[in-house]
Amino acid sequence: MANHYALITGASQGFGKSMALEFAKRNINLLLVALPNSKLWALSWFIKKNFQVRTLCLELDLSLKDSCYIIDDFIRDNALQIKYLVNNAGILSRGFFEDMDDAFIERQIKVNVLAPTLLTKLLLDNLKKTSPSAILNVSSMAAFFSLQKKQVYGATKAYLLSFSKSLRKELKKDNISVTTVCPGGLNTTTRLCYQNRILGLLPRKSSLNPEEAAVIAIDAMMKRKNVIIPGLINKFFMLLDKLLPEFVKDILTKREIKKI
């Protein structure tokens, strides 16, 4: 394991940062990727100092296709062995579809869909060499629901869920597992913490701290599970989705969306 690494995208804050720290606690070397000017170097330095694991970082914009090739070239040039690939980087929703900027929609699709797909393709040979290895794709509970203000975001996360489940079957022969984590609300930023607090009782209680979700997600990946939904209340929501009629679900979701 001396030269084995976990590659995590979107690693500078929130869920990605929590997963980076959790991997470090498990004595796993890290290759961290996040946006330019995200102070990723500071997190990398902190992990090196406190966990004694090798930590490398790249500040790249994953909405640019070339960034995936830069990551691949960096891995080849430094002879890194990627044991775990965590596709976490993503762009959240921004309101009603008719009000969204065209450039924002394009950027959201590129980061949420193209980047994890291309990066997975580029690193397959590397993952095969380190097998048994694993891919962890960060989807969302939005992948299962039709929600206002989350139309493009939900669609991109539904793609990632479907892609992951199909890829899991293909890569079984190569001893590479593919796990998809579908969290609900995460208290990752000041805005999201406030947003999660003003929701109804159940949605509010369903929100998790990223540190909790990181442990659940990485444990699931290590156990080579398929799809994981962190939190008991979120699992309860999935059960309600199967039981409640569509018009009731529309009333409930519309009420919560209005608060956002």
Side-chain angles (χ1 to χ4, degrees):
M1 295 289 289
N3 202 35
H4 286 182
Y5 284 76
L7 166 57
I8 307 172
T9 65
S12 62
Q13 61 180 348
F15 194 31
K17 178 180 178 180
S18 294
M19 286 192 285
L21 292 168
E22 184 61 28
F23 272 113
K25 290 176 185 176
R26 301 178 190 219
N27 200 35
I28 296 171
N29 300 321
L30 296 167
L31 172 55
L32 307 177
V33 179
L35 283 167
N37 304 314
S38 60
K39 296 185 178 179
L40 185 62
W41 60 268
L43 174 62
S44 178
W45 178 85
F46 175 84
I47 291 174
K48 283 180 186 176
K49 182 179 179 182
N50 290 278
F51 296 96
Q52 288 78 50
V53 296
R54 296 179 187 174
T55 309
L56 304 169
C57 63
L58 292 170
E59 292 193 338
L60 296 165
D61 184 349
L62 289 177
S63 71
L64 304 175
K65 183 179 177 181
D66 284 348
S67 293
C68 292
Y69 293 103
I70 292 171
I71 294 169
D72 186 44
D73 288 342
F74 180 84
I75 290 168
R76 291 176 187 274
D77 292 345
N78 290 277
L80 305 181
Q81 298 173 8
I82 304 302
K83 180 82 169 175
Y84 307 110
L85 169 61
V86 181
N87 287 307
N88 168 68
I91 297 178
L92 295 171
S93 289
R94 188 184 274 181
F96 291 111
F97 185 66
E98 63 181 349
D99 300 327
M100 292 170 67
D101 180 71
D102 294 354
F104 174 80
I105 293 173
E106 181 181 2
R107 178 175 166 81
Q108 188 176 43
I109 293 172
K110 285 181 176 178
V111 173
N112 294 11
V113 172
L114 180 60
T117 306
L118 182 56
L119 198 54
T120 300
K121 180 69 163 58
L122 291 170
L123 296 181
L124 271 185
D125 285 342
N126 197 309
L127 289 163
K128 288 178 182 179
K129 292 174 183 176
T130 61
S131 66
S133 51
I135 299 168
L136 176 63
N137 287 329
V138 180
S139 181
S140 166
M141 282 190 68
F144 301 100
F145 301 96
S146 302
L147 302 173
Q148 296 180 52
K149 296 186 180 181
K150 293 182 179 290
Q151 64 303 106
V152 178
Y153 176 76
T156 62
K157 292 303 183 178
Y159 164 86
L160 196 58
L161 176 62
S162 177
F163 169 70
S164 302
K165 290 167 78 173
S166 296
L167 191 65
R168 177 182 174 88
K169 295 177 181 179
E170 289 186 23
L171 298 182
K172 186 176 181 180
K173 67 182 187 306
D174 299 304
N175 208 9
I176 302 173
S177 68
V178 181
T179 298
T180 315
V181 59
C182 300
L186 292 176
N187 298 314
T188 53
T189 65
T190 302
R191 183 182 68 83
L192 287 174
C193 286
Y194 171 75
Q195 176 181 297
N196 292 336
R197 282 200 300 270
I198 64 174
L199 295 173
L201 178 62
L202 279 178
R204 189 168 67 247
K205 290 292 185 181
S206 73
S207 300
L208 296 176
N209 291 323
E211 297 83 4
E212 298 174 77
V215 174
I216 294 169
I218 294 173
D219 280 347
M221 183 197 71
M222 295 295 187
K223 294 175 182 176
R224 307 174 78 81
K225 292 186 177 180
N226 187 358
V227 178
I228 183 73
I229 298 170
L232 288 174
I233 294 179
N234 288 325
K235 292 182 176 68
F236 175 66
F237 281 149
M238 295 300 298
L239 177 62
L240 280 183
D241 181 56
K242 295 177 182 178
L243 297 176
L244 293 177
E246 196 70 27
F247 79 93
V248 175
K249 289 187 287 184
D250 286 344
I251 293 171
L252 294 174
T253 55
K254 189 178 293 186
R255 187 177 63 186
E256 295 302 326
I257 289 293
K258 284 181 179 178
K259 299 176 184 177
I260 299 175

